[in-house]
Amino acid sequence: MKIFGVPVFPDQASTFAKDVDALYFFILAVCSFFALTVAISVIYFGLRYRRKREGQVGARIEGSLPLELLWSVIPTVIAMVMFGWGASVFYHIRRPPDDAMHIYAVGKQWMWKFQHLEGQREINELHIPAGRPIKVTISSEDVVHSLYFPSFRTKIDAIPGRYTELWFEATTPGTYHLFCAEYCGTNHAGMIGSVTVLEPAQYQAWLQGGGESGTMAQRGARLFEAHACNSCHLESGQGRGPSLKNIVGTTVELEDGNTAVVDDAYLRESILTSQAKIVKGFKPLMPTFQGLISEENLLALIEHVKSMSPNASTAAPAAPPARPPAEKK
Ligand code: CUA
């Protein structure tokens, strides 16, 4: 939104942007009302009840139970409305729908790198289709960053050594800002980019136009060979390492008696800190790959492992059906 050509409020370009704004303006209105009421009362009472002549003494006030109840109950109710409303919006924003399209992001001083499952990679630019929920899994190559899409009203920290995620569904084709919202060093202010929201058909065309060879999982498969992962992790299960076929989403038994669920975080840890969790029946032979694989390649490797579990719910479908764009209100 612009007033006299000056941008004052970001566009509402995601399905939940209106919900976030409604809550924001409600809280702003309540706070403004009470701040003004208090400020005006302070000035008014200061003038009205000021000492007008020497020796004047104020009347003694004993208190009033109904009044005290009133000013306790009303704010409590208002605060609970904020809490309930806020929690419902928060839950909606924090839970990606199951059919969300998956994109990976890595923050790095000072740029954002994006990878599409189909193989396209972008830096400080992101192309997405309108009308489809999109889940972004985020990591950081170095320090804490924060991926922020003001027009989609969503933001999440990129934390080194961990995967975080956010989701949104863009409603309107166009170009929007993306920022780093966490001070991360000298060029933090330059860690910006743009999101291009395309019509689904245009997005398909854009995907075709990339010069990349193969999908993200295929790139991961090449890395899998390049790092000789395939020499131990045989699909037959007869290798020195466990077979990785159909493991995603399962629970594995560990040598120390514990169990672990095979998810992104587990796969990441098993590659980088290979000695942390040894699957039962195997020896701690695997070298650690800490510092040898970039975050981007790590994600491609994980995508490759996921592709070996075609039926796991965490693995995104290779070619998800396009959904019609959301209704424009
Ligand atoms: Cu990255 Cu600020």
Side-chain angles (χ1 to χ4, degrees), residues 108 110 112 144-146 180-185 188-189 191:
K108 181 177 183 292
W110 285 277
W112 288 109
V144 178
H145 304 275
S146 183
C180 176
E182 182 72 53
Y183 182 71
C184 54
H188 157 71
M191 197 168 160

Side-chain angles (χ1 to χ4, degrees), residues 16-325:
F16 49 58
K18 282 196 168 66
D19 304 338
V20 174
D21 290 353
L23 176 66
Y24 171 78
F25 284 116
F26 170 72
I27 294 176
L28 188 67
V30 170
C31 294
S32 306
F33 172 78
F34 283 103
L36 272 178
T37 306
V38 169
I40 290 167
S41 303
V42 165
I43 294 165
Y44 173 75
F45 290 136
L47 293 172
R48 174 80 175 75
Y49 298 107
R50 70 188 188 280
R51 195 165 75 163
K52 291 180 185 106
R53 53 194 154 69
E54 280 296 306
Q56 213 178 7
V57 179
R60 191 178 161 83
I61 297 170
E62 297 293 342
S64 156
L65 185 64
L67 205 57
E68 284 175 30
L69 278 176
L70 197 71
W71 74 50
S72 301
V73 170
I74 291 177
T76 305
V77 170
I78 293 174
M80 283 301 123
V81 168
M82 286 179 185
F83 172 75
W85 188 351
S88 108
V89 172
F90 178 81
Y91 270 94
H92 182 49
I93 290 181
R94 294 302 313 141
R95 292 191 155 153
D98 291 337
D99 62 343
M101 186 183 120
H102 204 170
I103 286 176
Y104 288 101
V106 174
K108 181 177 183 292
Q109 285 172 325
W110 285 277
M111 64 186 81
W112 288 109
K113 297 176 171 192
F114 297 98
Q115 303 188 76
H116 297 252
L117 291 184
E118 291 81 358
Q120 268 72 9
R121 291 198 274 169
E122 312 184 68
I123 292 180
N124 291 342
E125 270 190 63
L126 177 62
H127 288 75
I128 49 158
R132 274 202 60 191
I134 287 161
K135 179 170 91 169
V136 189
T137 297
I138 302 142
S139 182
S140 167
E141 195 84 52
D142 36 44
V143 299
V144 178
H145 304 275
S146 183
L147 183 58
Y148 180 32
F149 299 99
S151 299
F152 305 150
R153 305 293 188 275
T154 187
K155 165 165 77 173
I156 195 93
D157 280 4
I159 301 168
R162 208 195 277 186
Y163 292 128
T164 52
E165 65 181 33
L166 58 74
W167 81 277
F168 55 81
E169 181 177 329
T171 50
T172 323
T175 303
Y176 305 96
H177 290 291
L178 80 86
F179 294 119
C180 176
E182 182 72 53
Y183 182 71
C184 54
T186 315
N187 286 334
H188 157 71
M191 197 168 160
I192 57 177
S194 59
V195 194
T196 307
V197 179
L198 302 167
E199 296 287 359
Q202 282 180 301
Y203 177 71
Q204 285 308 323
W206 179 84
L207 281 181
Q208 309 302 325
E212 285 282 342
S213 47
T215 65
M216 202 173 153
Q218 285 163 349
R219 197 163 70 79
R222 289 197 293 275
L223 289 163
F224 196 75
E225 277 182 40
H227 289 286
C229 313
N230 57 342
S231 63
C232 292
H233 292 285
L234 306 180
E235 284 201 6
S236 63
Q238 303 299 309
R240 275 166 289 175
S243 162
L244 305 179
K245 205 168 168 55
N246 290 322
I247 59 160
V248 173
T250 63
T251 302
V252 288
E253 277 190 62
L254 303 177
E255 199 54 31
D256 62 7
N258 290 322
T259 58
V261 174
V262 180
D263 56 10
D264 292 358
Y266 172 85
L267 292 172
R268 177 201 167 81
E269 184 188 52
S270 298
I271 297 168
L272 294 185
T273 325
S274 45
Q275 309 295 317
K277 293 191 174 92
I278 303 294
V279 173
K280 197 174 172 159
F282 290 90
K283 296 211 162 54
L285 296 171
M286 180 168 157
T288 144
F289 285 87
Q290 194 86 52
L292 299 176
I293 301 180
S294 71
E295 290 294 334
E296 278 184 289
N297 287 349
L298 199 52
L299 290 167
L301 272 171
I302 291 175
E303 237 351 276
H304 168 60
V305 174
K306 283 183 179 172
S307 72
M308 293 186 229
S309 303
N311 301 319
S313 60
T314 50
R323 294 194 344 169

